[in-house]
């Protein structure tokens, strides 16, 4: 960290510490989100009159294939209404943040210590607990439930769907533990029974690049979303109390009880020889996209990075390009994003920064002109745990689109 950046972060901390705001819980508001996220009702539940972030719990679900190997993984977030939510897909080959530690507790060789590791390899070595720890650190998201579901358990979760229409871009071939290949489906749009849908979702071939499976996973979930519609009837045995959220299967049934949306996180192959010396099938996530998505669909589940202050970002542009660019600029300035909202509001030229005068002054200094011209104003209805509200202006939106 540069001396200048360190001073900016210290100034924000000092300004925030001097600000005391009395708040009360009052979650209310409307609905609006990106077209790509269909209809998010999570962060958008925090309206300008709201003084608290709604409860949007998250669960980590690992889907197990042949031989108990990790075949697919996603984060399910529950809508603030208690049913429905969002499925966020991430690759099992996502690179971890930290290198493994040997049995003696010492770091491995210098080369290994600098390298990353795939989530699938973490699960193979450390099980579900190790996977959960790595994903929580990777996404900065806390989970109320973590589960590894077998083929049979996944079929039971999706059983109420009856069947799913899926559009595939290529044949799907599964390989059994003994090496026997089986074609599960051909290319094109077809209607599948639930058990076949699960088989397609967890299918893996030896040496098959995960990037070749990304489209398949997305299309299966798109089919699930379409089949769920406004939600499927929740069976009487499903626990709808908060205590029921600790079970991953029960959590998923709650999510499928309302409208569902899906977002597949961007994943780029890791080609750096230091991070990936063995050139395994490893992928890096886009940090700004990760924060943008979870600050939108599961703000209360964000555990937050080691940043001095977090803000709420409002965008009237309904454009993920603009929203992601704003998150990136804030992270670069050492400012966290607690809530990301796409709002229905008149577009203004300048970006507005609302909050306590000392805090907004420190944030303005840290941001400079990275969000365009900033105009500070008072925030009459602050949100608990959020230092300021930033409403993006068209000046910044144009710049973000030009840079994309």
């Amino acid at each position: 960290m540069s001396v200048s950046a360190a001073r900016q972060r210290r100034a924000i901390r000092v300004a925030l510490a001097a600000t005391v705001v009395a708040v009360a819980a009052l979650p209310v508001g409307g609905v609006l989100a990106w077209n790509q996220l269909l209809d998010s009702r999570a962060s958008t539940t925090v309206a300008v009159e709201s003084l608290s972030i709604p409860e949007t719990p998250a669960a980590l679900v690992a889907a197990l294939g042949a031989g108990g190997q990790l075949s697919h993984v996603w984060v399910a977030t529950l809508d603030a209404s208690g049913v429905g939510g969002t499925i966020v897909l991430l690759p099992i080959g996502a690179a971890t943040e930290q290198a493994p530690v040997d049995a003696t507790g010492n770091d491995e060789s210098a080369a290994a210590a600098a390298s990353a590791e795939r989530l699938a390899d973490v699960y193979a070595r450390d099980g579900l607990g190790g996977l959960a720890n790595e994903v929580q650190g990777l996404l900065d998201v806390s989970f109320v439930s973590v589960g590894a579901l077998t083929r049979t358990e996944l079929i039971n979760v999706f059983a109420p769907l009856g069947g799913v229409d899926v559009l595939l871009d290529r044949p799907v071939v599964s390989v059994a533990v003994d090496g026997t290949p089986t074609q599960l489906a051909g290319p094109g749009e077809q209607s599948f029974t639930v058990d076949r849908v699960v088989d397609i979702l967890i299918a893996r071939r030896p040496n098959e690049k995960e990037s070749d499976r990304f489209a398949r996973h997305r299309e299966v979930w798109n089919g699930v979303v379409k089949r769920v519609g406004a939600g499927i009837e929740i069976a009487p045995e499903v626990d709808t109390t908060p205590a029921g959220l600790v079970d991953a299967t029960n959590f998923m049934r709650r999510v499928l009880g309302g409208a569902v949306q899906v977002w597949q996180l961007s994943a780029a192959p890791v080609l750096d020889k230091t991070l990936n010396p063995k050139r395994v099938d490893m992928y890096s996530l886009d940090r700004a996209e990760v924060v943008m998505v979870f600050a939108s669909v599961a703000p209360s589940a964000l555990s937050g990075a080691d940043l001095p202050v977090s803000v709420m970002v409002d965008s009237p542009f309904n454009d993920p390009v603009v929203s992601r660019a704003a998150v990136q600029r804030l992270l670069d300035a050492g400012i966290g994003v607690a809530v990301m909202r796409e709002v229905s509001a008149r577009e203004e030229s300048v970006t507005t920064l609302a909050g306590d005068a000392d805090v907004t002054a420190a944030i303005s200094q840290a941001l400079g002109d990275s969000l365009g011209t900033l105009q500070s104003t008072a925030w009459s209805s602050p949100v608990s745990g959020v230092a300021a509200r930033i409403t993006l202006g068209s000046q910044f939106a144009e710049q973000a689109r030009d840079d994309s």
Side-chain angles (χ1 to χ4, degrees):
M1 184 192 308
S2 68
V3 174
S4 177
R7 286 175 177 170
Q8 289 174 345
R9 293 191 183 189
R10 182 178 181 277
I12 295 173
R13 285 191 177 97
V14 171
L16 186 63
T19 305
V20 179
V21 181
V23 298
L26 184 64
V28 294
V31 176
L32 187 65
W34 306 300
N35 292 331
Q36 287 84 345
L37 274 181
L38 304 185
D39 181 27
S40 174
R41 296 167 306 285
S43 67
T44 50
T45 308
V46 183
V48 291
E49 297 86 0
S50 177
L51 296 176
S52 68
I53 297 174
E55 287 298 318
T56 49
L60 177 66
V61 183
L64 305 183
Q69 66 179 349
L70 182 64
S71 294
H72 185 40
V73 65
W74 68 86
V75 175
T77 69
L78 187 64
D79 186 78
S81 67
V83 293
T86 303
I87 303 296
V88 182
L89 312 181
L90 60 152
I92 63 171
T96 61
E97 290 188 317
Q98 297 179 347
V101 175
D102 65 21
T104 65
N106 298 317
D107 288 344
E108 297 180 355
S109 66
S115 65
E117 192 177 17
R118 301 167 70 248
L119 292 180
D121 298 328
V122 172
Y123 180 80
R125 186 188 65 245
D126 299 331
L128 187 59
L131 176 68
N133 287 337
E134 288 292 351
V135 176
Q136 181 166 318
L138 192 61
L139 304 180
D140 279 329
V141 172
S142 59
F143 304 118
V144 299
S145 175
V146 176
L149 304 186
T150 63
R151 176 180 182 272
T152 299
E153 290 169 323
L154 288 168
I155 290 172
N156 289 336
V157 168
F158 292 124
L161 300 178
V164 177
D165 294 335
V166 180
L167 175 63
L168 298 169
D169 64 345
R170 67 189 71 187
V172 180
V173 177
S174 175
V175 178
V177 176
D178 63 2
T180 304
T182 301
Q183 179 164 316
L184 300 174
E189 185 171 16
Q190 302 160 72
S191 182
F192 298 103
T193 59
V194 166
D195 58 341
R196 183 53 56 93
V197 168
V198 170
D199 287 337
I200 293 172
L201 197 63
I202 63 178
R204 287 181 61 185
R205 298 199 312 270
N207 302 318
E208 179 185 28
K209 287 188 176 297
E210 191 176 5
S211 55
D212 293 337
R213 301 165 56 216
F214 288 162
R216 179 195 315 166
H217 290 157
R218 184 177 62 251
E219 292 302 338
V220 167
W221 280 105
N222 284 342
V224 170
V225 167
K226 184 177 180 181
R227 180 67 184 86
V228 169
I232 58 178
E233 185 177 355
I234 297 179
E237 65 268 19
V238 175
D239 187 347
T240 57
T241 69
L245 297 179
V246 300
D247 178 78
T249 297
N250 195 82
F251 192 107
M252 282 299 302
R253 287 171 175 161
R254 291 273 297 273
V255 171
L256 297 177
V260 180
Q261 56 194 350
V262 61
W263 183 283
Q264 188 172 55
L265 293 174
S266 302
V270 177
L271 304 178
D272 185 281
K273 292 182 180 180
T274 301
L275 295 175
N276 189 10
K278 296 181 180 179
R279 296 299 180 92
V280 297
D281 190 34
M282 182 184 294
Y283 302 85
S284 63
L285 303 181
D286 182 331
R287 178 61 186 155
E289 180 197 20
V290 169
V291 173
M292 176 188 76
V293 170
F294 285 104
S296 174
V297 302
S300 76
L302 278 173
S303 53
D306 183 22
L307 297 172
V309 67
S310 292
V311 299
M312 179 168 74
V313 180
D314 284 352
S315 172
F317 304 104
N318 198 26
D319 186 344
V321 171
V322 174
S323 297
R324 185 210 163 277
V327 172
Q328 184 66 68
R329 304 290 199 284
L330 287 161
L331 294 178
D332 288 345
I335 299 169
V337 178
V339 182
M340 179 81 228
R341 307 192 305 170
E342 301 294 326
V343 298
S344 179
R346 187 179 69 177
E347 297 178 11
E348 302 289 350
S349 176
V350 301
T351 294
T352 302
L353 177 58
D356 175 83
D358 290 337
V359 174
T360 57
I363 291 176
S364 295
Q365 183 179 4
L367 288 172
D369 61 356
S370 61
L371 292 183
T373 302
L374 288 178
Q375 178 178 294
S376 297
T377 184
W379 192 8
S380 59
S381 301
V383 175
S384 178
V386 179
R389 185 185 73 229
I390 294 176
T391 304
L392 302 176
S394 58
Q395 182 185 99
F396 167 73
E398 293 171 7
Q399 178 188 1
R401 289 165 180 152
D402 289 342
D403 292 343
S404 66

